[in-house]
Amino acid sequence: MRLTPLSRACGQTLARDLPPTGPNRIPLLRTGTVITPRFQRALEDHGILALWVDDGHSEGIEPVELLPEPVRAETAAKVATALDEARAAIGDSQTLAYDVLADLRDVVDLIAANITDSPDAALFLGDLAGADQYTHRHSVNVTALGLLLGRAYWRTEGWVDYRGERRWDRIDERLAKLGMGLLLHDIGKMVVPSEVLNKPGKLSAEEWALMQSHPDAGVALLDSATVSPLVRSVVRDHHERYDGSGYPRGIAGDHIGEFPRLAAVADVYDAITSQRPYAPAAPAHVGVKVIAEGEGRAFDPAVVGVFRRIVMPYPVGTEVRLPDGRIGVVAAADQDRPHEPLVRVDGSDVRVELGDAAAV
Ligand SMILES: [Fe+2]
């Protein structure tokens, strides 16, 4: 199968159910549906701009998803329910209730248990759900990618305890806390009006100040007696940048904790490669480029190093344009040479060096 732009999908057969929308969670279209111009228009209205399709040309090419779509949909729905309850209850208690946190802990476990640890690391992460589902699916995607990054990071670098000793044990405990922080990272957006959150154009100074208040607003919702400081650090500092250019505190380097340094990379990558209410999804290679360019500036170089081994710019199943103009489909990615995947073109697989603008 391959990922094709909606504009070229007419007459093609859908290879995967389209993510469900609405409260009844019925897939928008099922696998095997042939895309007609009418479907094309309807999908465009839903903000869906690319589809997985099957054709003889890409037979045997099976993309690996970081998290299977049914798990993504199920966990995003659970997050939505938990946060709706939290919003209703927040008036009296001022912090998230214990049972809401317990529900979210179960969601983290579900995500952690379903992450694909692909040996060829050719993960497809982009989210093709419509922009209307962005918020909760974004939390789930960031959790999945952040956990994958955290696991690879701590397995190679270890972690430093309060005595300054480097250790390689209890990584699962850290991952559980990291996952909780990632799932809750934007919880403070509850206080930002949706007109500001979804505004397509530039924000006014007042709106921007409101937007920048979401990390602190989020921490205020988490009771310090019951929520770990490591979880709270992700919520408070995920917009801090390695060079000090972030917000709300403008701290830099190691003053930003390890947890939020991991979260920042996962958050930015997913935001770029998912469809948002105000911006279309960019292909994986654009997201990888932004993270790579931010190495040492926006992002911790050690985290970027781990990210580059895990997230491929041209994941399996991506349509690409070859230097000679022909269109091919990525058949296999190579961790050591991420910009030179194996591409199926005219029935044979060839290794091609792809530039930055190669994705179709
Ligand atoms: Fe945020």
Side-chain angles (χ1 to χ4, degrees), residues 185-186 189 214-215 238-239 247 267:
H185 76 281
D186 269 345
K189 284 191 176 170
H214 84 267
H238 67 277
H239 286 285
Y247 66 85
D267 184 28

